[in-house]
Amino acid sequence: MSVIVFTVIILIGAYFAGLLGSLTGLGGGVVIIPLLTLLLGVDIHYAIGASLVSVIATSSGSAAAYVKEGITNIRLGMFLEIATTLGALVGALIAVYIPVQYIAVLFGVILIFSALMSLRKKAESIISKPTYLAAKLKLYGSYPNGNGEQIEYGVTHVGGGFFMMLFAGVISGLLGIGSGALKVIAMDTIMKIPFKVSTTTSNFMIGVTAAASAVVYLQRGYIDPGIAMPVVIGVLFGAMTGSKILVHTKSSRWLRWVFAIVVTFLASQMIYNGLNGKI
């Protein structure tokens, strides 16, 4: 396969990965890594390195817009970033010493979990008062509801959310994905943060987490510009297209089913090839 054909395939695949990731809110890395490893035969470490670079690029762009709108809880995000960054460094360091077959199987399992999480019904619950620790750290906040009003919310179970974020960081550094499903558990389920705030704050955090992991992969020589650059360009354009489509889409339920089907198929292929030593 020539370099031009290889690059074009990556660009097209990354575009659709960014499109799908933007429409579902779980990022394009879950599609990029299987695309590179299964279809193009790229070493999984290089695939993870390229995915991390694309995560940094897409997160930086969208996070700035959410911060400007006043939805992102920056103080909460920076506090939880302590856990995800430490976890990401640990995950990136141990990834080098884990056989690629095990990484592929774990990646497949996390993909299936992400697909299931994307289909679950979410019931909004807003805590009116923060717990003692949340109040001391001033992690509570408010966000605009679109009608010019500010909705106040509290935060609970700070310790549980912190440790779940630590685990999410390890998975992110190990697999090169945003670990959005695990962050959902930490912020929505454990800490009882409103969906709008948890989604935007998670997006704000993902770029920093990926940057911490990317430093380790860069030092190890696993970030190849020939792979990373077309991935970044494709994912960025795909994410921009997805955001425009999402504005005009009344229901995203069918999008989540499409995502779940695609991801489950890719996950099964990753697990099968990992178990059979084909990766």
Side-chain angles (χ1 to χ4, degrees), residues 139-197:
L139 301 179
Y140 51 86
S142 64
Y143 67 96
N145 64 354
N147 298 320
E149 299 176 356
Q150 290 286 328
I151 299 177
E152 304 283 338
Y153 62 89
V155 179
T156 185
H157 299 115
V158 175
F162 188 88
F163 282 109
M164 178 56 76
M165 284 294 182
L166 186 65
F167 178 65
V170 172
I171 296 298
S172 178
L174 188 62
L175 303 179
I177 57 178
S179 299
L182 297 175
K183 287 185 172 69
V184 164
I185 293 178
M187 302 179 80
D188 289 358
T189 308
I190 299 175
M191 303 180 78
K192 304 296 182 183
I193 298 169
F195 298 134
K196 205 171 186 179
V197 178

Short mmCIF file of all heavy atoms in Angstrom, two decimals, residues 139-197:
data_model
loop_
_atom_site.label_atom_id
_atom_site.label_comp_id
_atom_site.label_asym_id
_atom_site.label_seq_id
_atom_site.Cartn_x
_atom_site.Cartn_y
_atom_site.Cartn_z
N LEU A 139 -16.73 23.14 45.21
CA LEU A 139 -16.92 22.43 43.94
C LEU A 139 -18.32 22.62 43.36
O LEU A 139 -18.57 22.20 42.23
CB LEU A 139 -16.64 20.92 44.14
CG LEU A 139 -15.24 20.56 44.65
CD1 LEU A 139 -15.12 19.05 44.81
CD2 LEU A 139 -14.16 21.08 43.72
N TYR A 140 -19.21 23.19 44.12
CA TYR A 140 -20.58 23.42 43.65
C TYR A 140 -20.56 24.56 42.62
O TYR A 140 -19.55 25.24 42.44
CB TYR A 140 -21.48 23.79 44.83
CG TYR A 140 -20.94 24.91 45.69
CD1 TYR A 140 -21.18 26.24 45.36
CD2 TYR A 140 -20.16 24.64 46.82
CE1 TYR A 140 -20.67 27.28 46.12
CE2 TYR A 140 -19.64 25.68 47.59
CZ TYR A 140 -19.90 27.00 47.24
OH TYR A 140 -19.38 28.01 48.00
N GLY A 141 -21.70 24.80 41.98
CA GLY A 141 -21.74 25.85 40.98
C GLY A 141 -23.12 26.06 40.42
O GLY A 141 -24.13 25.65 41.01
N SER A 142 -23.19 26.67 39.24
CA SER A 142 -24.46 26.91 38.56
C SER A 142 -24.20 26.92 37.06
O SER A 142 -23.06 27.09 36.62
CB SER A 142 -25.07 28.24 39.01
OG SER A 142 -24.23 29.32 38.64
N TYR A 143 -25.27 26.75 36.29
CA TYR A 143 -25.14 26.79 34.84
C TYR A 143 -26.40 27.39 34.22
O TYR A 143 -27.49 27.31 34.81
CB TYR A 143 -24.89 25.38 34.27
CG TYR A 143 -26.06 24.43 34.41
CD1 TYR A 143 -26.97 24.24 33.36
CD2 TYR A 143 -26.26 23.71 35.59
CE1 TYR A 143 -28.04 23.36 33.49
CE2 TYR A 143 -27.32 22.83 35.72
CZ TYR A 143 -28.21 22.67 34.67
OH TYR A 143 -29.27 21.80 34.81
N PRO A 144 -26.27 28.03 33.06
CA PRO A 144 -27.44 28.64 32.41
C PRO A 144 -28.35 27.58 31.80
O PRO A 144 -27.89 26.61 31.22
CB PRO A 144 -26.81 29.53 31.33
CG PRO A 144 -25.49 28.88 31.03
CD PRO A 144 -25.02 28.28 32.32
N ASN A 145 -29.67 27.77 31.94
CA ASN A 145 -30.61 26.79 31.40
C ASN A 145 -31.12 27.16 30.01
O ASN A 145 -31.98 26.48 29.45
CB ASN A 145 -31.81 26.62 32.35
CG ASN A 145 -32.63 27.89 32.49
OD1 ASN A 145 -32.25 28.95 31.96
ND2 ASN A 145 -33.74 27.81 33.20
N GLY A 146 -30.59 28.23 29.44
CA GLY A 146 -31.00 28.64 28.08
C GLY A 146 -32.08 29.69 28.08
O GLY A 146 -32.36 30.29 27.05
N ASN A 147 -32.71 29.94 29.24
CA ASN A 147 -33.77 30.94 29.35
C ASN A 147 -33.32 32.15 30.16
O ASN A 147 -34.14 32.91 30.67
CB ASN A 147 -35.01 30.32 30.02
CG ASN A 147 -35.58 29.18 29.21
OD1 ASN A 147 -35.64 29.27 27.98
ND2 ASN A 147 -36.02 28.13 29.87
N GLY A 148 -32.01 32.30 30.30
CA GLY A 148 -31.49 33.42 31.05
C GLY A 148 -31.43 33.19 32.55
O GLY A 148 -31.12 34.11 33.31
N GLU A 149 -31.74 31.98 32.99
CA GLU A 149 -31.73 31.66 34.42
C GLU A 149 -30.52 30.78 34.75
O GLU A 149 -30.05 30.00 33.91
CB GLU A 149 -33.01 30.93 34.81
CG GLU A 149 -34.28 31.74 34.58
CD GLU A 149 -35.53 30.94 34.89
OE1 GLU A 149 -35.40 29.73 35.21
OE2 GLU A 149 -36.63 31.51 34.81
N GLN A 150 -30.05 30.92 35.98
CA GLN A 150 -28.94 30.10 36.46
C GLN A 150 -29.48 29.02 37.40
O GLN A 150 -30.21 29.32 38.34
CB GLN A 150 -27.92 30.97 37.20
CG GLN A 150 -27.13 31.91 36.31
CD GLN A 150 -26.08 31.19 35.47
OE1 GLN A 150 -25.51 30.19 35.89
NE2 GLN A 150 -25.82 31.70 34.27
N ILE A 151 -29.13 27.76 37.12
CA ILE A 151 -29.57 26.64 37.96
C ILE A 151 -28.43 26.27 38.91
O ILE A 151 -27.34 25.90 38.47
CB ILE A 151 -29.97 25.42 37.10
CG1 ILE A 151 -31.14 25.79 36.19
CG2 ILE A 151 -30.32 24.24 37.98
CD1 ILE A 151 -31.56 24.68 35.26
N GLU A 152 -28.69 26.39 40.19
CA GLU A 152 -27.69 26.06 41.21
C GLU A 152 -27.66 24.55 41.44
O GLU A 152 -28.71 23.90 41.41
CB GLU A 152 -28.02 26.77 42.53
CG GLU A 152 -28.15 28.29 42.43
CD GLU A 152 -26.81 28.98 42.33
OE1 GLU A 152 -25.81 28.37 42.75
OE2 GLU A 152 -26.78 30.13 41.85
N TYR A 153 -26.50 23.99 41.67
CA TYR A 153 -26.38 22.57 41.96
C TYR A 153 -25.27 22.32 42.97
O TYR A 153 -24.31 23.09 43.08
CB TYR A 153 -26.11 21.76 40.68
CG TYR A 153 -24.81 22.11 39.99
CD1 TYR A 153 -23.61 21.47 40.31
CD2 TYR A 153 -24.77 23.10 39.01
CE1 TYR A 153 -22.42 21.81 39.69
CE2 TYR A 153 -23.58 23.45 38.39
CZ TYR A 153 -22.41 22.81 38.72
OH TYR A 153 -21.24 23.14 38.11
N GLY A 154 -25.42 21.25 43.72
CA GLY A 154 -24.41 20.84 44.68
C GLY A 154 -23.67 19.61 44.18
O GLY A 154 -23.99 19.06 43.12
N VAL A 155 -22.68 19.18 44.93
CA VAL A 155 -21.88 18.00 44.59
C VAL A 155 -21.79 17.09 45.80
O VAL A 155 -21.68 17.57 46.93
CB VAL A 155 -20.46 18.42 44.14
CG1 VAL A 155 -19.62 17.19 43.79
CG2 VAL A 155 -20.53 19.36 42.95
N THR A 156 -21.87 15.78 45.57
CA THR A 156 -21.81 14.82 46.67
C THR A 156 -20.76 13.74 46.38
O THR A 156 -20.28 13.64 45.26
CB THR A 156 -23.19 14.18 46.89
OG1 THR A 156 -23.14 13.33 48.04
CG2 THR A 156 -23.62 13.37 45.67
N HIS A 157 -20.41 12.96 47.40
CA HIS A 157 -19.49 11.82 47.26
C HIS A 157 -18.21 12.20 46.49
O HIS A 157 -17.87 11.59 45.48
CB HIS A 157 -20.18 10.65 46.57
CG HIS A 157 -21.37 10.12 47.32
ND1 HIS A 157 -22.65 10.19 46.83
CD2 HIS A 157 -21.46 9.54 48.54
CE1 HIS A 157 -23.49 9.67 47.70
NE2 HIS A 157 -22.79 9.27 48.76
N VAL A 158 -17.53 13.22 46.99
CA VAL A 158 -16.32 13.72 46.33
C VAL A 158 -15.23 12.64 46.29
O VAL A 158 -14.57 12.45 45.26
CB VAL A 158 -15.80 14.98 47.05
CG1 VAL A 158 -14.47 15.44 46.45
CG2 VAL A 158 -16.82 16.10 46.99
N GLY A 159 -15.05 11.93 47.40
CA GLY A 159 -14.02 10.89 47.45
C GLY A 159 -14.25 9.77 46.45
O GLY A 159 -13.33 9.34 45.74
N GLY A 160 -15.51 9.29 46.37
CA GLY A 160 -15.84 8.23 45.42
C GLY A 160 -15.63 8.65 43.98
O GLY A 160 -15.09 7.90 43.16
N GLY A 161 -16.02 9.89 43.67
CA GLY A 161 -15.82 10.40 42.32
C GLY A 161 -14.34 10.56 41.98
O GLY A 161 -13.92 10.28 40.86
N PHE A 162 -13.55 10.98 42.96
CA PHE A 162 -12.11 11.17 42.76
C PHE A 162 -11.43 9.84 42.42
O PHE A 162 -10.63 9.76 41.48
CB PHE A 162 -11.48 11.77 44.03
CG PHE A 162 -10.05 12.19 43.87
CD1 PHE A 162 -9.74 13.46 43.40
CD2 PHE A 162 -9.03 11.32 44.19
CE1 PHE A 162 -8.40 13.85 43.25
CE2 PHE A 162 -7.70 11.71 44.05
CZ PHE A 162 -7.39 12.98 43.57
N PHE A 163 -11.76 8.78 43.17
CA PHE A 163 -11.13 7.48 42.91
C PHE A 163 -11.61 6.86 41.61
O PHE A 163 -10.83 6.19 40.92
CB PHE A 163 -11.39 6.53 44.09
CG PHE A 163 -10.51 6.80 45.28
CD1 PHE A 163 -11.03 7.36 46.43
CD2 PHE A 163 -9.15 6.52 45.23
CE1 PHE A 163 -10.22 7.63 47.52
CE2 PHE A 163 -8.33 6.78 46.32
CZ PHE A 163 -8.86 7.34 47.47
N MET A 164 -12.86 7.10 41.23
CA MET A 164 -13.33 6.62 39.93
C MET A 164 -12.61 7.35 38.80
O MET A 164 -12.27 6.76 37.77
CB MET A 164 -14.84 6.82 39.81
CG MET A 164 -15.42 6.38 38.46
SD MET A 164 -15.06 4.65 38.03
CE MET A 164 -16.21 3.80 39.11
N MET A 165 -12.33 8.63 38.99
CA MET A 165 -11.58 9.40 38.00
C MET A 165 -10.14 8.89 37.89
O MET A 165 -9.54 8.92 36.82
CB MET A 165 -11.57 10.88 38.37
CG MET A 165 -12.87 11.60 38.07
SD MET A 165 -13.19 11.68 36.29
CE MET A 165 -14.72 12.61 36.28
N LEU A 166 -9.57 8.45 39.01
CA LEU A 166 -8.23 7.87 38.99
C LEU A 166 -8.20 6.63 38.09
O LEU A 166 -7.31 6.46 37.26
CB LEU A 166 -7.81 7.51 40.41
CG LEU A 166 -6.36 7.03 40.62
CD1 LEU A 166 -5.37 8.14 40.31
CD2 LEU A 166 -6.17 6.54 42.05
N PHE A 167 -9.22 5.79 38.23
CA PHE A 167 -9.34 4.58 37.40
C PHE A 167 -9.58 4.95 35.94
O PHE A 167 -8.99 4.36 35.03
CB PHE A 167 -10.47 3.70 37.93
CG PHE A 167 -10.71 2.46 37.12
CD1 PHE A 167 -9.74 1.46 37.05
CD2 PHE A 167 -11.89 2.29 36.42
CE1 PHE A 167 -9.95 0.31 36.30
CE2 PHE A 167 -12.10 1.15 35.67
CZ PHE A 167 -11.14 0.15 35.61
N ALA A 168 -10.42 5.97 35.71
CA ALA A 168 -10.68 6.43 34.35
C ALA A 168 -9.41 6.94 33.69
O ALA A 168 -9.17 6.72 32.50
CB ALA A 168 -11.74 7.53 34.36
N GLY A 169 -8.55 7.60 34.47
CA GLY A 169 -7.28 8.09 33.95
C GLY A 169 -6.35 6.96 33.55
O GLY A 169 -5.68 7.03 32.51
N VAL A 170 -6.30 5.91 34.37
CA VAL A 170 -5.46 4.74 34.04
C VAL A 170 -5.92 4.12 32.72
O VAL A 170 -5.10 3.82 31.84
CB VAL A 170 -5.53 3.69 35.17
CG1 VAL A 170 -4.82 2.40 34.73
CG2 VAL A 170 -4.90 4.23 36.44
N ILE A 171 -7.24 3.95 32.56
CA ILE A 171 -7.79 3.36 31.33
C ILE A 171 -7.50 4.27 30.14
O ILE A 171 -7.17 3.81 29.04
CB ILE A 171 -9.31 3.12 31.47
CG1 ILE A 171 -9.58 2.08 32.56
CG2 ILE A 171 -9.90 2.66 30.15
CD1 ILE A 171 -8.98 0.72 32.29
N SER A 172 -7.61 5.58 30.33
CA SER A 172 -7.35 6.54 29.26
C SER A 172 -5.89 6.46 28.80
O SER A 172 -5.60 6.43 27.61
CB SER A 172 -7.68 7.95 29.73
OG SER A 172 -7.39 8.90 28.72
N GLY A 173 -4.96 6.44 29.76
CA GLY A 173 -3.55 6.35 29.41
C GLY A 173 -3.16 5.02 28.82
O GLY A 173 -2.29 4.93 27.96
N LEU A 174 -3.84 3.97 29.25
CA LEU A 174 -3.55 2.62 28.79
C LEU A 174 -4.08 2.37 27.38
O LEU A 174 -3.43 1.71 26.55
CB LEU A 174 -4.15 1.60 29.76
CG LEU A 174 -3.81 0.12 29.57
CD1 LEU A 174 -2.32 -0.12 29.73
CD2 LEU A 174 -4.58 -0.73 30.56
N LEU A 175 -5.28 2.93 27.08
CA LEU A 175 -5.95 2.61 25.81
C LEU A 175 -6.02 3.78 24.84
O LEU A 175 -6.41 3.60 23.69
CB LEU A 175 -7.37 2.10 26.10
CG LEU A 175 -7.48 0.88 27.02
CD1 LEU A 175 -8.95 0.52 27.22
CD2 LEU A 175 -6.72 -0.30 26.46
N GLY A 176 -5.68 4.99 25.29
CA GLY A 176 -5.68 6.14 24.38
C GLY A 176 -7.06 6.67 24.04
O GLY A 176 -7.27 7.26 22.99
N ILE A 177 -8.04 6.47 24.93
CA ILE A 177 -9.39 6.97 24.71
C ILE A 177 -9.75 7.92 25.85
O ILE A 177 -9.05 8.00 26.85
CB ILE A 177 -10.43 5.83 24.62
CG1 ILE A 177 -10.40 4.97 25.90
CG2 ILE A 177 -10.16 4.98 23.39
CD1 ILE A 177 -11.42 3.85 25.90
N GLY A 178 -10.87 8.61 25.69
CA GLY A 178 -11.27 9.59 26.70
C GLY A 178 -11.88 9.00 27.96
O GLY A 178 -12.07 9.71 28.93
N SER A 179 -12.21 7.70 27.95
CA SER A 179 -12.87 7.04 29.07
C SER A 179 -14.14 7.78 29.48
O SER A 179 -14.43 7.94 30.67
CB SER A 179 -11.92 6.93 30.27
OG SER A 179 -10.78 6.17 29.95
N GLY A 180 -14.90 8.23 28.47
CA GLY A 180 -16.12 8.98 28.75
C GLY A 180 -17.13 8.22 29.58
O GLY A 180 -17.78 8.80 30.45
N ALA A 181 -17.26 6.91 29.35
CA ALA A 181 -18.23 6.12 30.09
C ALA A 181 -17.90 6.08 31.58
O ALA A 181 -18.78 6.14 32.43
CB ALA A 181 -18.30 4.71 29.53
N LEU A 182 -16.62 5.97 31.91
CA LEU A 182 -16.20 5.94 33.31
C LEU A 182 -16.35 7.30 33.96
O LEU A 182 -16.69 7.40 35.15
CB LEU A 182 -14.75 5.46 33.41
CG LEU A 182 -14.48 4.04 32.93
CD1 LEU A 182 -13.00 3.74 32.96
CD2 LEU A 182 -15.23 3.03 33.78
N LYS A 183 -16.11 8.37 33.20
CA LYS A 183 -16.32 9.71 33.73
C LYS A 183 -17.79 9.98 33.99
O LYS A 183 -18.16 10.72 34.92
CB LYS A 183 -15.74 10.75 32.77
CG LYS A 183 -14.21 10.79 32.76
CD LYS A 183 -13.71 11.92 31.89
CE LYS A 183 -12.20 12.11 32.02
NZ LYS A 183 -11.42 11.02 31.43
N VAL A 184 -18.66 9.37 33.17
CA VAL A 184 -20.10 9.50 33.37
C VAL A 184 -20.49 8.89 34.72
O VAL A 184 -21.27 9.47 35.48
CB VAL A 184 -20.89 8.81 32.23
CG1 VAL A 184 -22.34 8.58 32.62
CG2 VAL A 184 -20.82 9.65 30.97
N ILE A 185 -19.93 7.72 35.01
CA ILE A 185 -20.22 7.08 36.30
C ILE A 185 -19.75 7.96 37.45
O ILE A 185 -20.46 8.15 38.45
CB ILE A 185 -19.54 5.70 36.38
CG1 ILE A 185 -20.17 4.74 35.38
CG2 ILE A 185 -19.65 5.12 37.79
CD1 ILE A 185 -19.53 3.38 35.35
N ALA A 186 -18.54 8.50 37.31
CA ALA A 186 -17.97 9.31 38.38
C ALA A 186 -18.77 10.59 38.63
O ALA A 186 -19.08 10.93 39.77
CB ALA A 186 -16.52 9.66 38.05
N MET A 187 -19.14 11.29 37.56
CA MET A 187 -19.75 12.60 37.72
C MET A 187 -21.28 12.55 37.79
O MET A 187 -21.88 13.25 38.61
CB MET A 187 -19.30 13.52 36.58
CG MET A 187 -17.79 13.66 36.50
SD MET A 187 -17.21 14.70 35.15
CE MET A 187 -17.49 16.32 35.83
N ASP A 188 -21.91 11.73 36.96
CA ASP A 188 -23.38 11.65 36.96
C ASP A 188 -23.91 10.80 38.10
O ASP A 188 -24.75 11.22 38.88
CB ASP A 188 -23.89 11.08 35.63
CG ASP A 188 -23.72 12.04 34.49
OD1 ASP A 188 -23.25 13.16 34.74
OD2 ASP A 188 -24.05 11.69 33.35
N THR A 189 -23.39 9.58 38.17
CA THR A 189 -23.96 8.59 39.10
C THR A 189 -23.46 8.77 40.52
O THR A 189 -24.25 8.72 41.47
CB THR A 189 -23.62 7.17 38.62
OG1 THR A 189 -24.00 7.02 37.25
CG2 THR A 189 -24.35 6.13 39.46
N ILE A 190 -22.16 8.97 40.70
CA ILE A 190 -21.59 9.05 42.04
C ILE A 190 -21.71 10.46 42.62
O ILE A 190 -22.22 10.64 43.74
CB ILE A 190 -20.10 8.61 42.04
CG1 ILE A 190 -19.98 7.16 41.59
CG2 ILE A 190 -19.50 8.78 43.44
CD1 ILE A 190 -18.55 6.67 41.45
N MET A 191 -21.28 11.46 41.87
CA MET A 191 -21.24 12.83 42.40
C MET A 191 -22.53 13.61 42.17
O MET A 191 -22.68 14.73 42.67
CB MET A 191 -20.06 13.58 41.77
CG MET A 191 -18.72 12.89 42.00
SD MET A 191 -17.30 13.76 41.28
CE MET A 191 -17.08 15.04 42.50
N LYS A 192 -23.47 13.03 41.41
CA LYS A 192 -24.80 13.61 41.17
C LYS A 192 -24.73 15.00 40.54
O LYS A 192 -25.44 15.93 40.91
CB LYS A 192 -25.60 13.69 42.48
CG LYS A 192 -25.76 12.37 43.19
CD LYS A 192 -26.57 11.38 42.37
CE LYS A 192 -26.78 10.07 43.14
NZ LYS A 192 -27.50 9.07 42.33
N ILE A 193 -23.85 15.15 39.56
CA ILE A 193 -23.71 16.43 38.86
C ILE A 193 -24.66 16.43 37.66
O ILE A 193 -24.81 15.40 36.99
CB ILE A 193 -22.25 16.62 38.40
CG1 ILE A 193 -21.32 16.67 39.61
CG2 ILE A 193 -22.10 17.89 37.58
CD1 ILE A 193 -19.86 16.60 39.26
N PRO A 194 -25.33 17.54 37.35
CA PRO A 194 -26.23 17.60 36.18
C PRO A 194 -25.51 17.19 34.89
O PRO A 194 -24.33 17.47 34.71
CB PRO A 194 -26.64 19.08 36.13
CG PRO A 194 -26.49 19.56 37.53
CD PRO A 194 -25.32 18.80 38.11
N PHE A 195 -26.24 16.53 34.00
CA PHE A 195 -25.65 15.98 32.77
C PHE A 195 -24.93 17.03 31.94
O PHE A 195 -23.85 16.80 31.42
CB PHE A 195 -26.74 15.33 31.90
CG PHE A 195 -27.43 14.19 32.57
CD1 PHE A 195 -28.81 14.08 32.52
CD2 PHE A 195 -26.72 13.22 33.25
CE1 PHE A 195 -29.45 13.03 33.14
CE2 PHE A 195 -27.35 12.17 33.88
CZ PHE A 195 -28.73 12.07 33.82
N LYS A 196 -25.56 18.19 31.81
CA LYS A 196 -24.98 19.24 30.99
C LYS A 196 -23.61 19.65 31.52
O LYS A 196 -22.66 19.85 30.77
CB LYS A 196 -25.93 20.45 30.97
CG LYS A 196 -25.78 21.34 29.75
CD LYS A 196 -26.89 22.36 29.71
CE LYS A 196 -26.82 23.16 28.42
NZ LYS A 196 -27.92 24.15 28.35
N VAL A 197 -23.51 19.76 32.84
CA VAL A 197 -22.26 20.17 33.48
C VAL A 197 -21.22 19.05 33.41
O VAL A 197 -20.05 19.28 33.11
CB VAL A 197 -22.49 20.58 34.95
CG1 VAL A 197 -21.18 20.96 35.63
CG2 VAL A 197 -23.48 21.73 35.03
#
